[in-house]
Amino acid sequence: MKIAFYAPLKAPDHPVPSGDRQMARLLMQALAQGGFDVTLASRLRAFRAEPGPLDDLKRKADAEKTRLKQEWAGSGKPDLWFTYHLYYKAPDLIGPDLAREFEIPYVTAEASYAKRRDLEGWAEAQALIRAAVSLARVNLCFTDRDRPGLESIAPEARFASLAPFIDTTAYENIAASSPGQRLVTVAMMRKGDKFASFAMLAKALLLLIDLPWHLTVIGDGPLRAETIALFDGIPKDRIDWRGELGTDAVRSALAEGALYVWPGCGEAYGMAYLEAEAAGLAVVAQATAGVPAVVHHEKTGLLTREGDVAAYAAAIRALLLDDARRAAYGKAARDFVFEERSLRLAAVKLGLILRGIVS
C-alpha cells in the first residue's frame, strides 16, 4: 500500500528540531516498519502564528496539488493520504481535495479543534479542520484530550487511539544511574508554553536551594538569554546550560541524570518525557494538558496541580530525598515505555488500523 504523508505544521526534514518534527519522523518510520510504502507528499508549511486570510497559503497549496497530480499521472496515485497534526494554526490545504478527486482514503493523526478559536479569528482554518475530520476514514487520537472536541464537530466520524511513542532501540543499553542530586530537562527556549515552563521551574528551584542538586538544561532557541535570566537567583554553578545537542548526546545526558524535571505547561503530551522515561528517569511534571498520557502519577513520576509552584517544588524535593522511591519510579518508567510506547508496537497497531479501513 502506497501512502502519501503530509505534516502541515512542520515537515519531517524541517531544519528546526521539535517534538512535532520528531513525531512526524516516527510516524513515517512506523508506517514503513508496518509494511507500507510511505512517501513525503509535500513540504508546504501551512503554519500561521496569527489569524488572518488564508489566500496566500491556498495559492501555494494549489501549486502543490497541481504538482502532485502531474506526479501521480506518471507514477500512479497513492492508496491513502495521511496527514499528521492539523489544527487551527496549520490546517491541511492539500490532502482533502486530492483525496476526494482521486477517491483515496484520507486519514488524520493528532488533529485538534477548540470551539473558542472561532471567536479568536481562526474560524476559516477551523472550518477546514471540521471538513477534514469529517472526511477522514479514521482520525487517530494520541491522547483523550483532543477527542471530545473532534467528536463534537464530527459525531459520525471514526476515531481510533494511537498512543504517543518513541524508538526505544537506542535506549536499550542506556539506564540512568547517576547519584540522586542531578536534575535534567530538555526543551526549546521560545515564547509561550515553553517559556512559562522554564519560569515555573526556576521559581520551584529557588525553593530548593537548601538541597545540593545540580540541573542540566539541554536546548536552545530565540529566548535563550531571557530563559537563562529566569534563573538569576540561583548560583551559576548549579546549572549547566548545554545548548542544543545531537540525539546521541541527549541520550547520554539523560543517562547521567537522576530525575527529569519539566512542568509541561500546555504540552500536547511531550516526547521528551518518553525519552527520559526510556532512559530510566522518574519525572516530575504537572497534571495538565496531555502530560498524564505519558507520565503516570505515582508510577513513573509525580504530577502536581497546574500552576502550583510550591507543590511542584515539594514533589521534586520528595524524590530527591527518597532514593528508593525515585529508583522504583525510574524502573517503572523505563518498563512503561519499552512495553507500551515503542515504535515496534506503534507500527503493528498502525498497520492493523490502516489495513482495516481500506480492505
Side-chain angles (χ1 to χ4, degrees):
M1 187 191 300
K2 295 195 300 183
I3 294 181
F5 183 94
Y6 178 50
L9 175 60
K10 185 179 286 186
D13 55 2
H14 192 280
V16 179
S18 68
D20 296 290
R21 188 187 73 171
Q22 184 181 4
M23 180 50 74
R25 291 176 173 183
L26 284 167
L27 282 168
M28 292 191 75
Q29 285 182 255
L31 290 167
Q33 284 194 21
F36 301 103
D37 179 6
V38 57
T39 302
L40 181 61
S42 175
R43 292 180 174 84
L44 176 65
R45 192 168 195 224
F47 174 77
R48 293 178 307 151
E50 301 296 335
L54 289 168
D55 296 349
D56 184 53
L57 281 174
K58 286 181 176 179
R59 282 191 292 270
K60 293 178 181 178
D62 287 342
E64 282 293 271
K65 285 183 280 189
T66 298
R67 178 185 64 81
L68 286 166
K69 290 176 188 179
Q70 294 171 345
E71 183 179 304
W72 295 352
S75 63
K77 68 181 182 181
D79 299 299
L80 182 147
W81 183 282
F82 189 111
T83 296
Y84 163 63
H85 201 183
L86 57 165
Y87 74 121
Y88 69 99
K89 288 187 177 181
D92 184 358
L93 301 170
I94 302 175
D97 286 346
L98 291 177
R100 293 187 190 96
E101 181 174 345
F102 287 86
E103 298 182 333
I104 57 177
Y106 179 76
V107 172
T108 77
E110 202 180 339
S112 64
Y113 176 90
K115 187 175 181 180
R116 71 181 187 279
R117 301 299 183 187
D118 287 341
L119 305 177
E120 298 171 356
W122 299 98
E124 183 182 9
Q126 292 247 108
L128 292 169
I129 303 301
R130 287 196 297 272
V133 170
S134 298
L135 172 67
R137 291 280 185 90
V138 66
N139 297 280
L140 301 172
C141 299
F142 285 8
T143 71
D144 293 333
R145 181 191 183 201
D146 292 330
R147 189 161 180 163
L150 298 177
E151 289 177 333
S152 71
I153 60 170
E156 303 303 319
R158 179 178 174 183
F159 299 92
S161 295
L162 180 70
F165 61 94
I166 63 170
D167 185 355
T168 56
T169 55
Y171 292 87
E172 289 175 354
N173 297 316
I174 292 177
S177 58
S178 174
Q181 305 303 319
R182 185 169 291 276
L183 310 176
V184 184
T185 198
V186 182
M188 291 286 290
M189 298 173 183
R190 60 175 185 243
K191 68 179 182 179
D193 290 330
K194 299 297 185 188
F195 192 74
S197 279
F198 272 118
M200 184 173 180
L201 179 59
K203 292 175 183 176
L205 293 179
L206 280 171
L207 301 177
L208 300 170
I209 290 295
D210 58 302
L211 297 179
W213 53 263
H214 183 277
L215 172 66
T216 296
V217 181
I218 301 165
D220 209 335
L223 295 188
R224 178 179 175 82
E226 293 87 344
T227 299
I228 293 175
L230 293 171
F231 296 79
D232 278 349
I234 296 171
K236 295 187 184 302
D237 61 356
R238 289 286 196 104
I239 305 178
D240 181 10
W241 301 95
R242 295 198 185 178
E244 183 180 332
L245 300 178
T247 53
D248 289 343
V250 171
R251 286 191 287 267
S252 295
L254 290 172
E256 295 170 1
L259 186 63
Y260 189 81
V261 291
W262 183 244
C265 299
E267 291 281 1
Y269 39 88
M271 299 294 290
Y273 290 125
L274 290 174
E275 293 171 343
E277 290 174 313
L281 290 176
V283 173
V284 180
Q286 295 181 99
T288 184
V291 177
V294 292
V295 181
H296 294 172
H297 182 55
E298 295 187 337
K299 180 180 179 182
T300 69
L302 294 176
L303 297 176
T304 61
R305 293 181 300 277
E306 184 175 3
D308 191 332
V309 175
Y312 189 73
I316 296 174
R317 180 183 295 274
L319 292 188
L320 284 176
L321 295 177
D322 193 334
D323 292 347
R325 187 182 184 191
R326 188 181 65 254
Y329 287 170
K331 181 182 183 305
R334 184 173 170 84
D335 291 344
F336 161 64
V337 177
F338 273 79
E339 294 172 7
E340 301 181 36
R341 300 301 178 84
S342 71
L343 172 63
R344 179 183 60 81
L345 292 175
V348 172
K349 186 162 188 179
L350 261 178
L352 291 172
I353 293 171
L354 298 186
R355 289 188 175 88
I357 67 170
V358 296
S359 60

